[in-house]
Amino acid sequence: MKPVIAVSGLRKTYGSGETAVHALRGVDLQVWPGEYVAIMGASGSGKSTLLNMLGCLDTPTSGRYLLDGFSVADLNERQLALLRNRKIGFIFQSFNLVPRTSALSNVELPMVYSGLKRGERRRRALAALEMVGLTDRAKHLPNELSGGQQQRVAVARALVGGPAMLLADEPTGNLDHASTVDVLGVFDRLNALGRTVVVITHEDEVARHAHRVVRVSDGQIVSDEVRAGVVA
């Protein structure tokens, strides 16, 4: 079995000379299929830069990154975009839903240019909504859904392409406590079904749901802890 994420000696430097900013300083990290990992760090720790590297949104200055076995450094912009679309399901703090489009149609959006027929797109979108418990809200517009429900639609949209991992960036940052519990419960269930989940967060409440907590400081991983007591 190969890791979903295999990072070695990852460095990212912005600028040069005395004004250079060393955002990542030789990061080594592996994430295996089915893991649930929280990556934590304070503002300026390098957490966001690491997110951009793992999400193929930026390229490292040096080091090696294999995403589901593919070497990111060897790809051009078009290939990187394809890799992102096929291997990563992104979930952001803001839900990024199309306002006047139903939940079902929002989930279908990533497949519009895939060549799939409409019926197959609809079937897959409904299956993804079922996984997050929103089949009964499929025809609702985003403004007819709670914040937690909107984020669950975003999770379904991230799932619909069958990515190697879900990469969530502060996914509960815009949610109240009840909605946070709701969304974290979805992550728990998806991981229990074998989905690989990587969450970038500064919230202990979120990290407590992960099986493994990686802490970043000053551009380096300072701890990597497998947790025994995990919130269920």
Side-chain angles (χ1 to χ4, degrees):
M1 182 172 63
K2 63 186 177 185
V4 176
I5 291 172
V7 166
S8 58
L10 206 65
R11 295 180 181 273
K12 183 65 179 182
T13 303
Y14 297 99
S16 60
E18 294 182 359
T19 60
V21 176
H22 301 283
L24 294 180
R25 303 169 180 263
V27 170
D28 298 325
L29 177 67
Q30 287 188 332
V31 175
W32 295 89
E35 280 199 292
Y36 187 166
V37 181
I39 298 178
M40 302 190 74
S43 178
S45 64
K47 176 185 64 184
S48 296
T49 302
L50 182 57
L51 164 72
N52 289 338
M53 298 296 126
L54 298 182
C56 300
L57 301 171
D58 198 359
T59 54
T61 303
S62 62
R64 184 171 174 81
Y65 176 26
L66 299 181
L67 173 58
D68 205 28
F70 291 86
S71 176
V72 171
D74 298 334
L75 306 179
N76 60 33
E77 285 298 324
R78 179 178 176 277
Q79 291 169 326
L80 277 174
L82 287 172
L83 188 67
R84 281 194 299 269
N85 291 338
R86 294 174 180 174
K87 298 295 181 181
I88 305 171
F90 287 100
I91 302 155
F92 298 101
Q93 182 172 331
S94 54
F95 317 128
N96 296 329
L97 302 179
V98 180
R100 297 185 180 182
T101 302
S102 71
L104 181 61
S105 294
N106 267 284
V107 176
E108 281 188 76
L109 278 177
M111 300 182 288
V112 167
Y113 301 106
S114 66
L116 289 173
K117 294 183 178 180
R118 184 179 180 183
E120 178 62 14
R121 295 201 308 266
R122 184 62 49 95
R123 186 191 68 78
R124 293 189 184 189
L126 283 170
L129 283 171
E130 184 177 6
M131 290 183 74
V132 301
L134 280 181
T135 305
D136 60 339
R137 295 290 188 269
K139 295 182 180 180
H140 286 62
L141 300 178
N143 65 4
E144 298 172 328
L145 303 173
S146 69
Q149 288 172 335
Q150 289 184 61
Q151 189 62 295
R152 283 157 62 191
V153 172
V155 173
R157 183 181 58 195
L159 283 169
V160 78
M165 72 166 171
L166 296 179
L167 180 58
D169 181 17
E170 301 286 0
T172 61
N174 287 339
L175 302 179
D176 59 25
H177 177 71
S179 296
T180 292
V181 171
D182 189 21
V183 169
L184 292 178
V186 171
F187 286 157
D188 292 343
R189 292 193 296 274
L190 291 173
N191 180 248
L193 293 171
R195 295 280 180 172
T196 306
V197 180
V198 178
V199 178
I200 310 294
T201 185
H202 68 277
E203 299 180 63
D204 289 331
E205 180 183 4
V206 176
R208 284 191 293 111
H209 285 252
H211 303 142
R212 181 178 160 204
V213 178
V214 175
R215 296 185 185 274
V216 180
S217 179
D218 196 25
Q220 297 176 306
I221 291 177
V222 294
S223 68
D224 188 342
E225 174 190 3
V226 176
R227 302 184 64 249
V230 178
V231 176

